Amino acid sequence: IMEDNKKHKKQTKRTYKKRPKKLAKSSTQSELKDTGSNPLWGGRFSKGPSSIMEDINSSVDVDWVLYEEDIECSKAHAEMLYNQGILNNSDKKKIIKGLNQIQREIEDGELTPNHTLEDIHMNIENRLFLLIGDAAGRLHTARSRNDQVATDFKIWIRKAIDQSDRELQALQSALIKRAEQHSDTPIPGFTHLQGAQPVTLGHHLLSYVEMFGRDRGRFNDARKRLNECPLGSAALAGTSFPIDRKMTSESLGFDRPTRNSLDSVSDRDFALEALAAVALCSSHLSRLGEELVIWSSNQFGFIRLSDSFSTGSSIMPQKRNPDAAELIRGKNGRVTGNFVGLLNTMKGLSLAYAKDMQEDKEPIFDSFKTLSICLRAAGGMINDMTINKEAMAEATKEGHSTATELADWLVRELNIPFRNAHESVGKIVKMADSKDSRLWDLSLSDLQSIQPKITKAAHDILKPEIAINTKTSYGGTSVKQVKLQLRQAKKRFL
Ligand code: ARG
């Protein structure tokens, strides 16, 4: 035991040096409950782990952020044990007081990770023992780290989902604001990144509002399924103590306790669903990022990103690079990787808990952090960007983008079959090309030389601003429809 403790101290010292000065002041970090090779399960072992074992096994640097959830969970568990007569009042009070102190110590940076203790749960339990003595050992009655970690992690993800929802809403609000200012600003609509038909900028921005609205829906669905409490499932089989799982479930804000103890400690669906929702949301962000990159290029010049969201080049003085937009495009790779990574970790795991599952936290923490920064950066760019209406309007005139309008007119007004109309308009486009002219610059008699029944009304429709307002179908790009969509979006999302 002496040998082992010396070794612990030595290793603690080693990691100690790597930590920042501010944290190194801590004295609480190096202390260990003196009960054998490991303070929590030393009884069965005569030797401590090899330092390589500690390195591969330790998750405390990653899961330290779960301290708040872990303490919340332990407090709820202690109250329930007391309520059920499993824990006496004096021990419960000591436990709650000790946990409150630990929370303060962590928040003040006084208590820092001890790497000889595998994870946040063991760090907290060890510290509690040092503060209150043997009563600390009663907290782990009728629970295991398996149900404990699942519960902590669910609470953390639930908060992260709620934060994402607020950040998504803020981004939607920025998009809606710009869409309102530009409900009638013409912009080319593209397919294959070739000018297709003119739309309004408001309509275009509102399409992202829809995407982010579905993302919020997905997070919300994941949250609903997640919100069942695993605490009390213990290691895998449940417990012989007369616990009240409804009580802990309620006090931790869950809808109900989980129904199967084996599933409760094996399940990481909730993490995967959240990661899938992050990945999909990030893929939407990547499309927005790509469009901002394209729109802000000199060649397009549709927008100018503000100085606060642009970077210069160390060699080319003229450059304004859209780095934030590129990064919200690029970071999609990493969060998709996080999702695929955890999906593969979980594949083929026999029931119930397996240590592989400790790999669940980094992808979640990284993905939500990444998503948050991307959502805020996207909102910032949208809020701040200068919109060049003239460049957008000019671009709608390229590529005969109103040719379909004329074909539709021939069908609508003259009852010509669409295929025939398509053919006539194709000829008109060819004529415009040969004259190096825009469709509406052809004279009425030019048009009539191909389709004699064409009138002045058809000629007008070739102008983008007029063509846009013919798209009156529900969800279409006419200014009236866009204004309706705006009203609805505000009600649905803000
Ligand atoms: N650090 C572990 C994790 O995050 C906690 C659960 C450990 N359970 C166990 N049976 N070893 O997954």
Side-chain angles (χ1 to χ4, degrees):
I1 290 171
M2 288 286 287
E3 266 309 299
D4 287 328
N5 278 344
K6 257 192 234 154
K7 192 170 144 234
H8 281 148
K9 285 216 175 93
K10 225 171 86 205
Q11 283 172 354
T12 311
K13 241 189 193 161
R14 193 197 62 216
T15 44
Y16 216 72
K17 276 197 203 128
K18 282 197 251 157
R19 320 215 123 254
K21 270 222 176 83
K22 203 179 100 212
L23 297 180
K25 269 196 240 143
S26 153
S27 58
T28 41
Q29 176 202 41
S30 55
E31 284 182 54
L32 271 181
K33 181 183 173 188
D34 185 13
T35 56
S37 59
N38 180 294
L40 302 190
W41 59 64
R44 196 227 176 283
F45 292 82
S46 49
K47 235 174 135 192
S50 117
S51 69
I52 303 170
M53 178 58 196
E54 277 182 6
D55 286 348
I56 190 171
N57 202 37
S58 169
S59 63
V60 67
D61 279 331
V62 174
D63 58 32
W64 190 256
V65 298
L66 289 176
Y67 76 88
E68 210 182 332
E69 290 73 19
D70 198 63
I71 288 172
E72 187 187 352
C73 214
S74 287
K75 286 203 246 176
H77 186 63
E79 291 291 354
M80 182 279 291
L81 291 179
Y82 165 65
N83 209 51
Q84 298 300 100
I86 305 169
L87 187 69
N88 70 36
N89 197 22
S90 127
D91 283 348
K92 182 205 76 176
K93 278 188 173 156
K94 279 189 211 157
I95 288 172
I96 303 285
K97 202 170 157 220
L99 289 169
N100 285 337
Q101 176 170 339
I102 294 172
Q103 177 143 358
R104 277 196 302 277
E105 288 177 356
I106 295 177
E107 274 158 11
D108 295 346
E110 271 171 43
L111 183 66
T112 55
N114 182 321
H115 298 89
T116 57
L117 296 165
E118 181 183 312
D119 52 28
I120 181 65
H121 324 291
M122 289 169 68
N123 269 262
I124 289 180
E125 192 177 330
N126 178 70
R127 180 65 189 144
L128 190 62
F129 175 82
L130 292 172
L131 291 174
I132 67 167
D134 279 337
R138 299 193 185 277
L139 175 60
H140 216 53
T141 313
R143 101 178 165 181
S144 142
R145 276 183 303 147
N146 296 351
D147 58 338
Q148 191 180 352
V149 73
T151 312
D152 293 359
F153 199 32
K154 277 189 166 185
I155 298 176
W156 192 95
I157 294 177
R158 196 172 64 190
K159 287 184 198 163
I161 285 177
D162 291 345
Q163 186 184 329
S164 302
D165 185 71
R166 287 192 295 273
E167 287 168 351
L168 274 162
Q169 190 191 39
L171 175 54
Q172 285 180 308
S173 162
L175 287 161
I176 287 172
K177 200 174 98 203
R178 301 315 301 261
E180 243 174 347
Q181 294 162 350
H182 293 277
S183 56
D184 57 355
T185 301
I187 184 174
F190 297 92
T191 60
H192 315 267
L193 196 56
Q194 310 277 325
Q197 293 182 333
V199 295
T200 68
L201 178 58
H203 194 220
H204 194 115
L205 294 177
L206 282 175
S207 70
Y208 283 101
V209 172
E210 292 298 320
M211 286 180 231
F212 295 129
R214 289 195 298 277
D215 290 329
R216 289 176 71 186
R218 260 180 291 274
F219 277 123
N220 205 23
D221 289 345
R223 192 192 195 286
K224 272 186 219 144
R225 255 185 306 278
L226 163 152
N227 213 27
E228 296 186 339
C229 185
L231 195 62
S233 301
L236 74 164
T239 175
S240 54
F241 292 94
I243 58 171
D244 182 349
R245 292 194 57 207
K246 271 204 177 131
M247 180 178 170
T248 37
S249 167
E250 249 168 51
S251 68
L252 293 170
F254 288 95
D255 296 330
R256 67 193 74 85
T258 50
R259 291 178 177 87
N260 180 301
S261 63
L262 280 169
D263 176 53
S264 306
V265 293
S266 313
D267 166 33
R268 290 296 180 271
D269 294 11
F270 61 89
L272 285 167
E273 274 197 76
L275 285 177
V278 172
L280 190 40
C281 176
S282 166
S283 116
H284 292 151
L285 282 166
S286 78
R287 300 180 76 169
L288 178 61
E290 166 72 350
E291 297 207 316
L292 295 177
V293 169
I294 294 174
W295 288 0
S296 65
S297 67
N298 286 332
Q299 289 66 25
F300 268 70
F302 285 4
I303 58 168
R304 184 181 165 91
L305 293 173
S306 69
D307 285 359
S308 20
F309 286 99
S310 304
T311 55
S313 154
S314 53
I315 173 169
M316 297 165 281
Q318 85 285 7
K319 291 279 273 177
R320 286 174 68 81
N321 293 328
D323 291 29
E326 293 166 84
L327 282 164
I328 67 172
R329 185 180 62 192
K331 282 180 190 288
N332 185 225
R334 132 190 211 156
V335 298
T336 303
N338 285 340
F339 167 59
V340 175
L342 183 59
L343 197 56
N344 278 279
T345 298
M346 293 308 293
K347 176 190 175 291
L349 284 190
S350 64
L351 304 189
Y353 177 84
K355 200 56 179 267
D356 314 43
M357 291 161 70
Q358 180 170 277
E359 291 294 308
D360 57 1
K361 293 178 201 66
E362 271 179 287
I364 280 280
F365 296 156
D366 180 64
S367 293
F368 275 104
K369 186 173 158 208
T370 304
L371 182 67
S372 168
I373 188 77
C374 290
L375 287 171
R376 286 177 291 134
M381 284 187 284
I382 297 290
N383 269 324
D384 288 9
M385 69 187 182
T386 313
I387 291 164
N388 186 345
K389 280 173 86 156
E390 293 68 37
M392 289 180 177
E394 222 23 62
T396 58
K397 296 177 184 161
E398 300 301 329
H400 308 306
S401 68
T402 51
T404 320
E405 268 48 67
L406 181 57
D408 282 350
W409 185 91
L410 294 173
V411 175
R412 213 169 49 233
E413 305 296 328
L414 305 180
N415 201 21
I416 293 175
F418 184 79
R419 282 288 154 240
N420 302 8
H422 189 284
E423 160 101 25
S424 303
V425 178
K427 286 180 185 156
I428 291 171
V429 167
K430 200 166 165 196
M431 174 192 278
D433 275 343
S434 72
K435 296 190 173 199
D436 200 17
S437 128
R438 292 186 163 138
L439 288 178
W440 59 87
D441 291 331
L442 294 174
S443 67
L444 187 56
S445 53
D446 284 339
L447 301 182
Q448 285 169 340
S449 71
I450 288 165
Q451 171 46 263
K453 291 181 189 159
I454 287 179
T455 66
K456 181 171 173 317
H459 196 241
D460 283 348
I461 236 171
L462 291 169
K463 296 201 174 115
E465 350 34 288
I466 296 175
I468 281 170
N469 280 317
T470 64
K471 297 290 186 281
T472 51
S473 57
Y474 182 70
T477 202
S478 68
V479 177
K480 216 173 148 197
Q481 277 297 322
V482 170
K483 286 191 168 153
L484 173 69
Q485 288 173 43
L486 268 166
R487 281 196 300 280
Q488 290 176 341
K490 282 201 219 161
K491 263 200 218 139
R492 287 160 64 210
F493 300 125
L494 301 186

